[in-house]
Amino acid sequence: MESSRGPGGIQQLLAAEQEAQHIVNAARSAKMARLKQAKEEAEKEIAAYRAQVELEFQKKLAESSGDSGANVKRLEQETQAKIHHLKTEAGRISHDVVHMLLKHVTTVKN
């Protein structure tokens, strides 16, 4: 009885092993397909994010370079205002400075 079950049992084991190998291969293929799909989805998300960041950068760049003329004009106005203020202050105190210098130059110390 053992001899009749032996070859049939081995055949069943071989068939089960082949079926298990097919299941493992199918699972491996499904895993690889899912990994490939996940990689493609991640690449799409990265591309979308990169495009969004690039768009924001271009907007900021356009805003800053578009306003460069306005910035130059504003800086020129501020510079002229400061120059005017310095000239006014120099004119206001120049008499006192000249008087102080003359006093120190003409004072004799022993």
Side-chain angles (χ1 to χ4, degrees), residues 5-109:
R5 287 183 79 191
I10 291 176
Q11 291 299 323
Q12 284 181 339
L13 284 174
L14 288 173
E17 184 179 348
Q18 285 180 347
E19 184 180 346
Q21 189 63 38
H22 288 304
I23 291 171
V24 168
N25 287 340
R28 193 173 286 143
S29 295
K31 178 182 175 184
M32 293 304 291
R34 178 61 189 128
L35 286 174
K36 184 177 179 182
Q37 180 184 4
K39 181 180 177 184
E40 290 172 356
E41 289 174 4
E43 287 174 351
K44 286 179 185 177
E45 287 180 20
I46 289 170
Y49 178 73
R50 185 172 286 146
Q52 177 188 357
V53 170
E54 180 67 22
L55 181 65
E56 290 174 7
F57 173 73
Q58 291 299 331
K59 282 183 183 178
K60 287 183 180 181
L61 187 64
E63 288 174 1
S64 66
S65 66
D67 289 341
S68 66
N71 287 337
V72 168
K73 193 169 197 170
R74 179 185 54 83
L75 288 173
E76 285 177 357
Q77 288 174 346
E78 289 176 4
T79 303
Q80 290 302 323
K82 288 179 182 178
I83 290 172
H84 181 350
H85 175 71
L86 289 173
K87 285 182 177 180
T88 303
E89 287 297 309
R92 186 180 62 81
I93 64 170
S94 66
H95 180 69
D96 293 336
V97 171
V98 169
H99 185 330
M100 180 187 69
L101 287 173
L102 285 175
K103 180 181 172 190
H104 281 290
V105 169
T106 57
T107 302
V108 178
K109 292 186 179 179

